[in-house]
């Protein structure tokens, strides 16, 4: 069966520091992968999606970037964090029937 | 673009009560999912239901695509049902999904 991992689970970072969040999917190949952000008490905002290695689309202009170094690995990065980057970051993949499955998330607090 | 609205935004129930959550969408769809986000933030896939009715234990869902709405029924609610319920719809011709604003449910013991 397929499993999606995210790490770290929680992260507290100072403003201006770099960021790297990792998402890995097991049990499938060439998945469509997604990064979402959820602010406290709010809905999900799509940040990036990728339909293959080196095929990444950005949905929201911001100081975040995404990379896909391997087929089943999706990385969310920032060179300098802002206070507004705080939130809950969720990675998801799409099964062939277009069902979405989410990872456990990373809770990021920028101070 | 397609609009997805959920109602009610907040709901408080006594344990054992039944409830109906609604998801309205502005365009025709060929896929719709319901999710439950538990208090720890994990999004759990409840139903993939582009049309018709499905049931899973105390939960069931109905999508009427022609009338552009979906309903999630929770019967005999339990405290573990608390959390936020989202519906999500793929944007036609893209690989993107749009989420509704969610219904926050609190079940009291």
């Amino acid at each position: 069966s397929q499993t999606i991992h995210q790490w770290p689970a929680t992260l507290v970072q100072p403003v201006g520091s770099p960021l790297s969040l990792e998402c890995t999917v097991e049990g499938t190949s060439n998945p469509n992968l997604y990064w979402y952000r959820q602010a406290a008490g709010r809905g999900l905002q799509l940040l990036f999606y990728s339909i293959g290695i080196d095929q990444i689309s950005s949905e929201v202009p911001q100081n975040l970037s995404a990379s896909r170094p391997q087929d089943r690995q999706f990385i969310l990065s920032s060179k300098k964090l802002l206070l507004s980057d705080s939130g809950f970051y969720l990675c998801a993949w799409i099964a062939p029937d277009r069902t979405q499955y989410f990872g456990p998330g990373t809770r990021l607090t920028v101070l | 673009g397609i609009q997805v609205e959920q109602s009610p935004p907040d709901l408080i129930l006594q344990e054992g009560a039944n409830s109906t959550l609604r998801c309205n969408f502005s365009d025709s769809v060929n896929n719709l999912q319901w999710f439950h986000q538990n208090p720890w933030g994990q999004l759990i896939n409840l139903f993939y239901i582009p049309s018709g009715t499905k049931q899973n234990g105390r939960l069931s869902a109905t999508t009427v695509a022609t009338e552009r709405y979906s309903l999630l029924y929770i019967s005999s609610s339990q405290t573990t049902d608390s959390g936020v319920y989202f519906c999500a719809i793929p944007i036609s011709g893209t690989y993107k999904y749009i989420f509704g604003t969610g219904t926050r449910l609190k079940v009291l013991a």
Side-chain angles (χ1 to χ4, degrees), chain A:
Chain A
S1 64
Q2 297 83 10
T3 307
I4 183 167
H5 302 281
Q6 286 187 247
W7 58 88
T10 60
L11 192 58
V12 180
Q13 291 285 94
V15 170
S17 64
L19 173 74
S20 181
L21 302 181
E22 188 168 344
C23 170
T24 302
V25 181
E26 295 178 355
T28 187
S29 60
N30 197 30
N32 288 356
L33 296 172
Y34 298 75
W35 278 113
Y36 291 88
R37 177 171 62 198
Q38 186 179 32
R42 307 277 299 271
L44 275 73
Q45 178 189 35
L46 178 62
L47 301 176
F48 300 94
Y49 68 94
S50 171
I51 61 172
I53 291 177
D54 297 327
Q55 294 180 280
I56 299 171
S57 297
S58 171
E59 289 301 298
V60 183
Q62 57 205 339
N63 67 323
L64 299 173
S65 62
S67 62
R68 188 165 176 176
Q70 300 178 39
D71 180 42
R72 291 172 289 174
Q73 186 184 31
F74 205 19
I75 308 291
L76 182 69
S77 304
S78 174
K79 292 182 179 179
K80 288 186 177 182
L81 283 168
L82 306 173
L83 285 174
S84 57
D85 291 323
S86 292
F88 190 49
Y89 289 81
L90 289 153
C91 181
W93 74 282
I94 306 293
D97 66 358
R98 305 199 76 184
T99 304
Q100 283 192 93
Y101 296 94
F102 283 84
T106 294
R107 200 166 299 278
L108 171 66
T109 302
V110 182
L111 302 175

Side-chain angles (χ1 to χ4, degrees), chain B residues 53-109:
Chain B
T53 297
K54 289 187 178 180
Q55 181 152 9
N56 184 4
R58 296 181 295 103
L59 274 60
S60 65
T62 296
T63 296
V64 185
T66 54
E67 297 187 21
R68 301 182 182 175
Y69 72 89
S70 183
L71 302 174
L72 179 68
Y73 306 94
I74 304 174
S75 64
S76 304
S77 59
Q78 300 175 358
T79 55
T80 51
D81 295 330
S82 296
V84 184
Y85 290 80
F86 291 101
C87 61
I89 294 168
I91 300 174
S92 179
T94 77
Y95 293 95
K96 299 184 288 186
Y97 285 72
I98 183 167
F99 278 74
T101 51
T103 293
R104 185 174 299 275
L105 173 65
K106 186 168 186 177
V107 181
L108 304 175

